[in-house]
Amino acid sequence: MKLTKDKFKEDYQRLLTELYSLDIKDSEVSEQYFTLGNLIRTYASNDWKNTNESYLKKGEKQIYYFSMEFLLGRMLKSNLLNLDILEVVQKGLQEFGIHLENLIEFEVDPGLGNGGLGRLAACFMDSMATCAIPGHGNGIRYKYGLFKQKFVNGYQMEIPEHWLRNGNIWEVRRLNKAVTVRFYGNVWLENSSGRLVPRYENEEAVLAVPYDTPIIGYNEQTVNTLRLWSAEMHPQDESHEYGAFLKQQSQIENISEVLYPDDSYYDGRLLRLKQEYFFVSAGIQSIIRRFKKKDLPISHLSEEVAIHINDTHPALCVPELMRILLDDEGMDWESAWDLTKKVLSYTNHTIMSEALEKWPIDMMSTLLPRIHQIICEIDQRYAADMRYRYDDHMIERTRIIEGGHIKMAHLAIIGSHSINGVAKLHTDILKEKVLHDFYLIFPSKFNNKTNGITQRRWLLLSNEPLRQFIDSKIGSNWEVNPTDLTNLKAFQNDEDTLFKLAQIKKLNKQRFADYVKRTMNLTLNPDAIFDVQVKRLHAYKRQLLNLLHILSLYFKLKENPNAYIYPRVFIFGAKAAPSYMYAKQIIKLINSVAHMINHDHHIGDKLKIVFVENYSVSLAERIIPAADVSEQISLASKEASGTGNMKLMLNGAVTVATLDGANVEIRDQVGPDNIIIFGLTDKEVYQYYHDGSYHAYDYYIHNPILHRVLNALIDGTIPGIEIEGQDIFDSLVKYGDEYFVLRDFEDYRLAQEKVDQIYRDTLRWQKMALLNIAGAGIFSSDYTVLQYAKEIWDVSAKSTQD
Ligand code: 26V
């Protein structure tokens, strides 16, 4: 938008006085922040209105991205960037003596997601708006987001995060768009003029109230909507006796109270199923309402609407859409089923079997009796359809209901026209292993859409020095067409460029070191290698492998203080699910080792470990620009894609990686010389599973370095640890080492020696860094959503980038 500094200053001054009856000189940060937020909203409001109006045109297909999680991060700066008024506002505020940086830091970082899946949804929202794709988000407005992590004596403690305490400047409550969602009760079918119609009694009605957040595109026009639903007491129930009223109110509000903090382990809680149906039903009802404004027959739904199911959490879209088409719209089963499949598509984000959702039949039939009936019908018709084509085993393995449970992945696959994985390798594993039966049955439904990240948040906003430097080398077109970053390759042997790149990295490292000094009182040497592993804590991601290697370096230095080791700062950021005991033990172990090494005066600057508390989007924005090394060391086949790996390469970190998830595609982009690969391949892992020939104990016995390191877990070397040292030792040495940590240790250690060697040659290292930045453009989520639009949602984008 066009905005001059003087106009901004005038608007800002007037609004601050209107809102708070204050002069700027007497205002505080909170007042300054809310004034700016309000102003940004008014600047975006016309485009928001116009975008919404244009979406009501017939033939303008709407995309609805259903996700239990949207991990947006702070929005003040990204809204300013996307409106193209960041600089003007910064300067204008400066003249009032206000530092924009302080207002940015004042904003809460809403943690409405666990990790990769929620953050991907947020990147997609930004990219859909930027690419002018009519994309709406649909989710839950949790009152409490992901817990705040604190370390107490090295142990993770969880504290509730009341992110709405100060209000939320970006949302609009739209009570007039509220819908009713029904739970429990009895349902039976009655014959009404030749048609079976459901009759209900004794249901519990919940009011779903939408809160809309504008998603501002980086393109001067499009402002899309993220709609998050909040559960409230239905007005019809407000006449109850007071005591009963309060009880029911809190039960209902519970539905949108808190985000489940588990992202790796399915736990069949009733409240979670309630949450899933709540936002699915509310979302689909509001889609149908909007569709009806177009005055088209319901049979046109699939030309006007696509609904995307982000992991299985919204898989109840399948029976809920069927319910509406059958019961409310009076369609026959075949037509409704055909339409449902055309509208729906599904993304799988994990192959970890313990994360697969399956709900007990009894729970489903009690909580959602009509939905249960429909699922049974889908299941029976599926089995009947397949009877003539496949044997009984195949049908049993793939049907939706089995062993008293409803398998949500099967429901999503059978009820959608498309199923995609999130990296090439992941999609191949789905096709060949995890979902092989379905691949044989529905080969054309399967496709790959490799994840992506928005270069706006992950470079333009978080790494301004690098952005400016790139602009000075290749112009700024890469900002809207990120594969133009490959033009940087022309500078790969230009010493001046490479030294400058090293300087920028050092600046970012110093910035992060200052932050660590301020918040943790730990001094870091910005000339050391900054080696980063930031992601959820999970055994398969192998933070332990990283830690065992650090211990090996420590012992090497202890034995020989003059050993040839380049100074390193190891940076960890990770939350563990509160019920995931093993992950919490690993956190404690890392903290104990950190304490031991950081306080060892003989080690000094040579090794440091920083475990940042409460890893979040805003912390990622501080850490990633400062990274030299990116640790992507999951056991091959386990990490579906990863997106942190993309953010780190975009910021010039060199990746140490297994051939897992999107690491494979990163290697293809940068070439094998510019990434450090180690470890088992997915094929080798599956081979081990097949012949059961992995014996972790042998590695403990035969590798003296590993032996020394593992013994340290149980021989009292590490002060402060209790049972966790023994438990972790046992998990590796005695109980099979599920994720092949010991098997990959030696290869990893050698890979790390390579890092140590190459880093000493600044020009060589910076050349690798440059080639990583140059190769990162392809991983823009702009391209990813354009592929979804074209190949899954069947919608054309008025892209600003073609
Ligand atoms: C799973 C579950 C399991 C049951 C209970 C609650 C719950 C909540 C969230 C999840 C999501 C787990 C899947 C996930 O986050 N996968 C990650 O998705 C990223 C985006 O595609 C991908 O980059 C990561 O590799 C993948 O681990």
Side-chain angles (χ1 to χ4, degrees):
M1 71 177 280
K2 293 266 172 297
L3 179 71
T4 63
K5 191 180 68 190
D6 290 338
K7 171 80 168 62
F8 165 71
K9 286 177 68 180
E10 191 189 315
D11 292 347
Y12 189 78
Q13 196 153 25
R14 193 185 48 236
L15 188 59
L16 191 132
T17 306
E18 270 172 26
L19 288 173
Y20 298 104
S21 307
L22 281 178
D23 211 63
I24 291 189
K25 68 175 175 7
D26 301 318
S27 62
E28 293 180 7
V29 169
S30 62
E31 291 146 350
Q32 295 162 1
Y33 165 81
F34 285 113
T35 303
L36 183 57
N38 268 302
L39 200 53
I40 292 172
R41 274 176 54 170
T42 63
Y43 289 154
S45 61
N46 256 324
D47 284 343
W48 200 11
K49 176 180 75 87
N50 293 339
T51 302
N52 275 328
E53 281 170 8
S54 77
Y55 287 171
L56 288 173
K57 279 203 297 264
K58 290 188 176 105
E60 178 85 293
K61 192 171 184 180
Q62 304 296 299
I63 311 306
Y64 296 89
Y65 197 81
F66 276 42
S67 178
M68 202 85 171
E69 308 187 1
F70 288 91
L71 194 46
L72 295 175
R74 288 173 173 155
M75 270 174 316
L76 185 71
K77 196 174 177 190
S78 82
N79 282 340
L80 289 170
L81 175 80
N82 287 9
L83 286 169
D84 201 16
I85 57 174
L86 181 55
E87 234 171 279
V88 164
V89 166
Q90 193 156 24
K91 288 198 178 123
L93 289 174
Q94 193 80 53
E95 292 180 12
F96 288 131
I98 298 173
H99 295 293
L100 177 60
E101 220 28 63
N102 294 340
L103 310 196
I104 291 168
E105 284 296 315
F106 175 81
E107 183 168 338
V108 281
D109 181 351
L112 306 188
N114 272 290
L117 166 129
R119 183 55 231 174
L120 184 75
C123 283
F124 281 8
M125 291 307 298
D126 182 88
S127 285
M128 286 194 288
T130 298
C131 298
I133 295 170
H136 311 247
N138 186 69
I140 298 176
R141 180 181 179 269
Y142 302 104
K143 188 164 160 198
Y144 295 91
L146 188 61
F147 63 86
K148 218 189 225 146
Q149 179 193 52
K150 284 237 173 299
F151 295 143
V152 177
N153 189 24
Y155 291 100
Q156 169 175 297
M157 297 290 156
E158 302 96 25
I159 292 166
E161 166 84 304
H162 192 182
W163 71 286
L164 289 164
R165 180 170 291 128
N166 288 324
N168 171 9
I169 192 74
W170 307 116
E171 68 186 10
V172 182
R173 175 180 163 92
R174 295 201 198 274
L175 188 59
N176 57 322
K177 307 271 187 211
V179 299
T180 304
V181 178
R182 296 174 195 283
F183 297 98
Y184 299 108
N186 298 314
V187 61
W188 66 95
L189 299 176
E190 267 182 20
N191 199 323
S192 157
S193 20
R195 215 162 63 78
L196 285 179
V197 290
R199 298 279 178 234
Y200 299 86
E201 65 179 13
N202 298 330
E203 309 151 274
E204 180 184 291
V206 173
L207 193 70
V209 180
Y211 286 73
D212 287 352
T213 298
I215 304 291
I216 301 169
Y218 187 60
N219 68 1
E220 309 226 328
Q221 262 173 19
T222 311
V223 179
N224 283 340
T225 303
L226 170 61
R227 175 161 283 184
L228 300 179
W229 298 92
S230 179
E232 294 185 14
M233 186 98 167
H234 209 275
Q236 75 186 32
D237 297 329
E238 281 175 356
S239 56
H240 290 179
E241 179 273 325
Y242 202 60
F245 165 83
L246 286 181
K247 189 160 165 246
Q248 201 185 355
Q249 186 187 39
S250 82
Q251 243 183 47
I252 283 173
E253 290 179 358
N254 245 338
I255 297 175
S256 51
E257 191 83 353
V258 59
L259 166 79
Y260 274 99
D262 224 299
D263 71 338
S264 48
Y265 189 76
Y266 160 78
D267 169 3
R269 302 239 182 142
L270 180 68
L271 184 58
R272 168 95 185 171
L273 183 60
K274 265 193 180 176
Q275 289 186 333
E276 294 185 356
Y277 184 64
F278 171 73
F279 92 105
V280 160
S281 178
I284 296 189
Q285 288 185 57
S286 99
I287 290 169
I288 299 288
R289 263 199 199 172
R290 186 187 303 222
F291 168 76
K292 295 224 153 155
K293 289 196 185 153
K294 293 191 178 180
D295 231 354
L296 289 165
I298 192 74
S299 56
H300 284 227
L301 188 68
S302 61
E303 285 145 45
E304 303 290 331
V305 167
I307 299 176
H308 200 82
I309 302 175
N310 195 29
D311 215 289
T312 57
H313 322 142
L316 288 174
C317 279
V318 178
E320 176 65 2
L321 184 53
M322 282 299 282
R323 182 188 69 80
I324 290 174
L325 297 178
L326 295 167
D327 299 354
D328 299 353
E329 302 299 325
M331 286 183 101
D332 63 82
W333 182 279
E334 292 299 338
S335 316
W337 183 239
D338 197 46
L339 202 51
T340 296
K341 282 188 293 185
K342 279 190 185 144
V343 169
L344 299 178
S345 48
Y346 154 64
T347 298
N348 173 289
H349 291 269
T350 182
I351 66 154
M352 303 294 291
S353 56
E354 63 267 34
L356 296 182
E357 293 187 296
K358 44 186 190 326
W359 295 102
I361 289 273
D362 294 347
M363 197 187 273
M364 190 71 81
S365 63
T366 310
L367 184 70
L368 303 167
R370 179 67 183 133
I371 290 300
H372 169 247
Q373 284 178 347
I374 294 172
I375 293 173
C376 290
E377 183 75 22
I378 296 172
D379 178 59
Q380 270 153 28
R381 286 177 184 247
Y382 171 78
D385 260 15
M386 296 294 140
R387 191 132 298 146
Y388 302 102
R389 295 202 277 150
Y390 298 98
D391 66 31
D392 288 353
H393 299 298
M394 179 77 148
I395 296 171
E396 282 313 303
R397 287 198 304 269
T398 54
R399 63 188 300 170
I400 298 164
I401 302 178
E402 196 229 23
H405 284 86
I406 298 171
K407 296 179 170 171
M408 301 303 268
H410 295 198
L411 180 63
I413 293 166
I414 292 169
S416 306
H417 68 276
S418 166
I419 142 154
N420 73 281
V422 289
K424 282 182 192 151
L425 177 71
H426 170 59
T427 302
D428 287 344
I429 291 173
L430 291 178
K431 290 203 268 196
E432 281 155 33
K433 304 272 181 203
V434 183
L435 299 175
H436 183 64
D437 289 333
F438 282 114
Y439 181 56
L440 293 177
I441 301 172
F442 307 117
S444 63
K445 286 194 189 188
F446 282 75
N447 63 93
N448 176 58
K449 296 285 168 285
T450 299
N451 283 166
I453 55 167
T454 166
Q455 69 274 19
R456 286 165 289 282
R457 181 172 296 269
W458 300 107
L459 207 170
L460 306 199
L461 288 177
S462 57
N463 197 344
E464 276 170 53
L466 184 58
R467 173 201 188 176
Q468 276 171 21
F469 179 64
I470 297 173
D471 284 357
S472 76
K473 291 289 163 195
I474 61 170
S476 61
N477 198 47
W478 66 273
E479 295 178 6
V480 286
N481 193 16
T483 48
D484 279 3
L485 283 171
T486 51
N487 293 334
L488 283 172
K489 285 187 185 171
F491 298 92
Q492 60 179 293
N493 295 315
D494 181 50
E495 292 195 3
D496 193 49
T497 302
L498 299 177
F499 279 124
K500 193 77 210 300
L501 201 57
Q503 272 173 14
I504 290 170
K505 184 58 81 181
K506 174 131 181 229
L507 188 80
N508 289 330
K509 286 158 75 172
Q510 185 62 60
R511 228 184 111 227
F512 181 64
D514 293 344
Y515 172 80
V516 169
K517 181 75 197 167
R518 235 179 16 252
T519 54
M520 304 173 74
N521 195 24
L522 189 68
T523 308
L524 305 180
N525 169 13
D527 288 319
I529 301 173
F530 278 27
D531 183 320
V532 172
Q533 188 172 22
V534 285
K535 50 187 76 247
R536 280 299 281 256
L537 212 135
H538 197 292
Y540 84 78
K541 295 178 189 279
R542 301 201 294 190
Q543 280 93 351
L544 254 187
L545 181 57
N546 190 343
L547 189 73
L548 296 185
H549 167 249
I550 297 171
L551 280 169
S552 76
L553 292 181
Y554 179 62
F555 295 134
K556 188 168 172 182
L557 281 172
K558 290 303 271 185
E559 273 149 36
N560 174 11
N562 297 319
Y564 189 63
I565 286 178
Y566 200 91
R568 264 210 232 200
V569 174
F570 291 95
I571 297 158
F572 290 92
K575 288 184 182 179
S579 62
Y580 190 176
M581 290 310 155
Y582 186 61
K584 291 177 119 173
Q585 290 189 317
I586 294 172
I587 288 181
K588 167 65 180 170
L589 183 63
I590 298 174
N591 276 325
S592 301
V593 171
H595 192 267
M596 173 178 78
I597 295 181
N598 295 347
H599 290 87
D600 187 329
H601 298 300
H602 302 293
I603 298 298
D605 259 4
K606 288 191 191 142
L607 291 180
K608 283 273 176 296
I609 302 180
V610 181
F611 198 153
V612 295
E613 245 172 11
N614 201 38
Y615 179 62
S616 56
V617 174
S618 42
L619 267 174
E621 288 168 16
R622 283 185 185 278
I623 296 169
I624 290 171
D628 292 308
V629 174
S630 161
E631 297 283 346
Q632 308 302 332
I633 59 178
S634 54
L635 174 66
S637 79
K638 296 293 184 257
E639 189 69 88
S641 164
T643 44
N645 46 3
M646 300 166 184
K647 294 164 197 167
L648 282 152
M649 83 183 286
L650 179 65
N651 283 273
V654 173
T655 313
V656 174
T658 49
L659 286 174
D660 200 15
N663 301 346
V664 179
E665 287 154 78
I666 292 177
R667 181 202 55 183
D668 292 347
Q669 283 305 312
V670 302
D673 293 343
N674 299 299
I675 184 168
I676 296 166
I677 299 287
F678 74 97
L680 293 171
T681 63
D682 64 304
K683 300 266 178 323
E684 290 165 336
V685 171
Y686 276 103
Q687 191 61 45
Y688 270 124
Y689 292 152
H690 182 259
D691 36 70
S693 59
Y694 177 49
H695 303 292
Y697 185 77
D698 296 348
Y699 292 86
Y700 168 60
I701 291 301
H702 293 123
N703 182 331
I705 298 179
L706 194 50
H707 197 86
R708 170 75 181 93
V709 164
L710 288 166
N711 281 349
L713 303 183
I714 51 172
D715 66 7
T717 304
I718 305 165
I721 51 169
E722 319 240 335
I723 188 72
E724 39 282 321
Q726 184 74 50
D727 283 353
I728 291 169
F729 177 91
D730 288 348
S731 75
L732 297 174
V733 177
K734 251 167 94 179
Y735 301 127
D737 181 18
E738 191 178 355
Y739 297 107
F740 297 83
V741 174
L742 307 193
R743 171 67 180 78
D744 274 349
F745 176 82
E746 188 57 20
D747 209 10
Y748 180 60
R749 204 181 61 76
L750 294 174
Q752 291 292 9
E753 272 186 3
K754 227 160 130 185
V755 168
D756 181 294
Q757 293 299 317
I758 301 172
Y759 195 84
R760 290 161 199 262
D761 181 347
T762 302
L763 284 178
R764 180 155 174 227
W765 185 268
Q766 291 305 329
K767 179 175 175 176
M768 287 172 82
L770 183 93
L771 292 173
N772 270 274
I773 302 168
I778 192 90
F779 299 109
S780 166
S781 48
D782 294 358
Y783 300 128
T784 315
V785 298
L786 287 169
Q787 278 172 21
Y788 274 84
K790 186 158 167 256
E791 296 165 20
I792 299 180
W793 303 328
D794 194 24
V795 52
S796 60
K798 298 187 287 301
S799 170
T800 50
Q801 296 155 34
D802 289 342

